[in-house]
Amino acid sequence: MPAAAQLRRTRIARTLAAVGTGAAVLALPLIGATAASAATPANATTVSTTPAGYPNNLDGWIRESLAIMREKRIPGSYNGIYRNVIRESSGNPRAINLWDSNAAAGIPSKGLLQVIDPTFNTYHVAGTSFDIYDPVANITAACNYAAARYGSIDNVHGAY
């Protein structure tokens, strides 16, 4: 067989071997994923919710707070709350400020909207938790305070 034909046959064989190997490698994860998902219980994909039925995440906490605020006639909007939460705590309900003047005085700001204990206690909204780290209680109390002091959380554009 001429050398050119021999080289062509070798290239074709190598190409087929590489393609065949690649297909097998790609098929194995698909087979494993199918078997794994078949073994997953149907209720394992249920999203965590608050006791009131809202998603247990920042979006759900804000929406639940807004529902309570509507009942109590506390002004505020989703965007106003979200903007302030992101600035104050980056959405971490366990955030605590241990370095500012409040912390130096022994009353650090806590939670999603960085409320100090005396403010939380004064502006606590009935029907919410008395735990300052509870996301819904923290948002609702902070919005109640902002409404009394600034007219609405929507009017707060910096530390308050």
Side-chain angles (χ1 to χ4, degrees), residues 9-44:
R9 183 180 297 169
T10 304
R11 282 187 188 157
I12 291 172
R14 284 184 188 156
T15 302
L16 289 175
V19 169
T21 303
V25 169
L26 290 174
L28 288 176
L30 293 176
I31 292 168
T34 303
S37 66
T40 304
N43 63 355

Side-chain angles (χ1 to χ4, degrees), residues 22-115:
V25 169
L26 290 174
L28 288 176
L30 293 176
I31 292 168
T34 303
S37 66
T40 304
N43 63 355
T45 58
T46 304
V47 176
S48 174
T49 58
T50 67
Y54 291 88
N56 194 20
N57 57 29
L58 182 56
D59 175 65
W61 303 328
I62 293 172
R63 291 183 356 196
E64 185 174 343
S65 294
L66 285 168
I68 295 166
M69 291 165 56
R70 273 190 299 279
E71 287 177 19
K72 307 293 183 175
R73 299 179 193 253
I74 301 168
S77 71
Y78 186 99
N79 289 339
I81 295 169
Y82 181 84
R83 178 186 69 242
N84 283 284
V85 164
I86 295 304
R87 184 190 64 253
E88 294 292 335
S89 68
S90 299
N92 177 2
R94 303 295 300 173
I96 184 167
N97 182 330
L98 297 174
W99 59 266
D100 70 359
S101 60
N102 288 323
I107 48 171
S109 305
K110 302 172 184 174
L112 287 172
L113 283 168
Q114 293 294 282
V115 181

Side-chain angles (χ1 to χ4, degrees), residues 87-157:
R87 184 190 64 253
E88 294 292 335
S89 68
S90 299
N92 177 2
R94 303 295 300 173
I96 184 167
N97 182 330
L98 297 174
W99 59 266
D100 70 359
S101 60
N102 288 323
I107 48 171
S109 305
K110 302 172 184 174
L112 287 172
L113 283 168
Q114 293 294 282
V115 181
I116 59 174
D117 290 326
T119 302
F120 180 80
N121 293 333
T122 300
Y123 291 93
H124 175 263
V125 176
T128 64
S129 169
F130 284 94
D131 177 2
I132 196 167
Y133 290 106
D134 178 273
V136 174
N138 188 280
I139 291 169
T140 311
C143 288
N144 195 23
Y145 166 74
R149 175 106 187 208
Y150 305 102
S152 171
I153 191 74
D154 298 337
N155 298 329
V156 178
H157 297 282

